[in-house]
Each structure stands twice: as structure tokens, then as C-alpha cells.
């Protein structure tokens, strides 16, 4: 997946309903506290790639990835205990309860995270290019 495609995909994950759609083979059902809806409302979307990581989930905002979920785990509590600085966790509200100012603060943090990630990617690519040029120069 290209960087631009990944950004477009993650933008759609602002919505609980879009996050719910990612949980195709979630191992827990609606009777469990750790169900799809509760996961999505706590900011998580599924990043499972197979049976080995069927319960892998990631926060759409802070990027914290967690697995090893138990049926009675509370997604909000787990998110808070592993990523207490996440702006979404700090609000502690479902998407439909957010005030406009709170939603904008989440969007702002998302944009900051996005720019930081892009900056790291560009820095890494630039470092790799510099190493390549350096090796070429040393061979001369």
C-alpha cells in the first residue's frame, strides 16, 4: 500500500462505523465486553492479517497497537492504560458525544501525527539516499 492510499484509508477511520467494518473476523461476540462496537467506539480498528493475530487492533489516532484481548477486557480501559496520552482517550467520549471543539482537537492531533509520520518517512528515505551517495563517492 502506498503512503497516499494509507492516509486516505486512515482518514475514513475517524468514523466509528468505518472502524466497525474492519473487524471482519473478530474473535469475540456482542455478549462479550470486548466486542466489535466497543472496540470501535474506543478508537480501535482491526489490523489482523490472519489467525495468528486475529485480535490485533490499532487506534486510529495515536497508532497504539494491541493484541491479546480477553472477552471481558474493556477497550476504553485498555486503551487508556496503554496510551494515556492519546488525545482520543483523554476525551473519553464516544464519537457522537464530542463537541465541535473536541472533534477539532482530535482532527488537529491526527494532522500532527500524520505530519510527524510523514516527516519520519521522508527523513528515513533521505538518510538512505545519503548513505547510497556516500558509498558511491567512496568508491571513486
Amino acid at each position: 500500500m502506498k503512503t497516499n492510499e494509507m492516509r486516505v484509508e486512515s482518514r475514513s477511520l475517524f468514523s466509528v462505523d468505518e472502524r466497525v467494518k474492519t473487524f471482519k473476523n473478530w474473535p469475540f461476540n456482542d455478549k462479550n465486553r470486548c466486542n466489535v462496537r466497543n472496540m470501535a467506539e474506543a478508537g480501535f480498528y482491526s489490523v489482523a492479517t490472519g489467525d495468528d493475530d486475529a485480535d490485533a487492533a490499532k487506534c486510529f489516532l495515536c497508532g497504539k497497537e494491541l493484541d491479546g484481548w480477553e472477552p471481558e477486557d474493556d477497550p476504553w480501559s485498555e486503551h487508556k492504560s496503554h496510551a494515556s496520552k492519546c488525545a482520543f482517550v483523554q476525551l473519553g467520549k464516544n464519537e457522537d458525544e464530542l463537541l465541535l471543539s473536541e472533534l477539532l482537537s482530535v482532527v488537529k492531533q491526527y494532522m500532527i501525527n500524520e505530519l510527524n509520520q510523514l516527516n519520519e518517512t521522508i527523513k528515513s528515505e533521505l538518510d538512505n539516499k545519503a548513505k547510497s551517495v556516500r558509498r558511491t563517492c567512496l568508491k571513486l
Side-chain angles (χ1 to χ4, degrees), residues 59-77:
C59 174
F60 81 98
L61 186 61
C62 71
K64 182 65 176 178
E65 189 170 332
L66 299 173
D67 62 5
W69 294 92
E70 299 293 330
E72 295 310 313
D73 284 343
D74 175 23
W76 277 108
S77 296

Side-chain angles (χ1 to χ4, degrees), residues 16 19 38 40-43 59-61 74-77 79-80 83-99 102-103 105-106:
V16 169
R19 292 192 297 270
N38 289 345
E41 286 178 352
C59 174
F60 81 98
L61 186 61
D74 175 23
W76 277 108
S77 296
H79 198 169
K80 186 175 183 176
S84 62
K85 294 186 181 191
C86 175
F88 191 68
V89 166
Q90 289 179 349
L91 291 172
K93 295 181 179 180
N94 291 334
E95 173 185 289
D96 59 349
E97 298 171 336
L98 294 176
L99 301 173
E102 294 169 330
L103 178 62
S105 75
V106 169

Side-chain angles (χ1 to χ4, degrees), residues 13-23 40 43-45 60:
L13 297 173
F14 271 101
S15 162
V16 169
D17 291 334
E18 291 302 313
R19 292 192 297 270
V20 164
K21 292 176 188 176
T22 67
F23 290 92
F44 291 107
Y45 64 98
F60 81 98

Side-chain angles (χ1 to χ4, degrees), residues 3 11 14 36-37 39-40 42 45 51-52 62-63 71-72 80 84 87 96 100 108-109 118-119 130 132-133 136:
T3 305
R11 281 188 196 124
F14 271 101
V36 168
R37 188 78 191 173
M39 290 293 291
Y45 64 98
D51 291 337
D52 293 344
C62 71
E72 295 310 313
K80 186 175 183 176
S84 62
D96 59 349
L100 179 58
K108 178 183 174 184
Q109 187 60 52
L118 184 59
N119 185 44
S132 175
V133 169
T136 302

